[in-house]
Amino acid sequence: MIPARLLKLCFFGGGTPLVSPRMVSSILDTLRLKFGACEGAEISMEMDPGTFDDRKVEDLMGLGVNRVSLGVQACE
């Protein structure tokens, strides 16, 4: 049974999420199973530019992550 309200947005944030692509996959699979997801649902991940590389970005895109929020900090 598909719920009346489908998932439209999922945001992984709170600084630099320290979750692996495997954990993101597990969370997204659970959400999709429980709630379903709209076509083109926004799956967003906050990232620190120093903590990811091409491989991690490709892995996350393969899981459905389609938006990245870059966090930058400055020290005085």
Side-chain angles (χ1 to χ4, degrees):
M1 180 172 149
I2 298 175
R5 291 184 161 194
L6 298 175
L7 183 72
K8 295 180 185 176
L9 168 70
C10 181
F11 178 73
F12 293 89
T16 302
L18 299 176
V19 295
S20 66
R22 182 175 174 179
M23 178 63 74
V24 171
S25 176
S26 178
I27 292 168
L28 290 174
D29 287 348
T30 300
L31 290 171
R32 289 176 178 135
L33 183 64
K34 177 95 174 152
F35 301 106
C38 291
E39 180 75 27
E42 180 180 310
I43 310 297
S44 183
M45 170 138 327
E46 187 171 328
M47 293 185 186
D48 177 321
T51 63
F52 65 91
D53 57 19
D54 291 345
R55 166 113 189 202
K56 186 170 185 180
V57 171
E58 289 173 9
D59 288 347
L60 292 170
M61 287 174 60
L63 299 173
V65 174
N66 54 20
R67 184 176 182 143
V68 172
S69 171
L70 294 178
V72 179
Q73 295 180 350
C75 297
E76 293 183 26

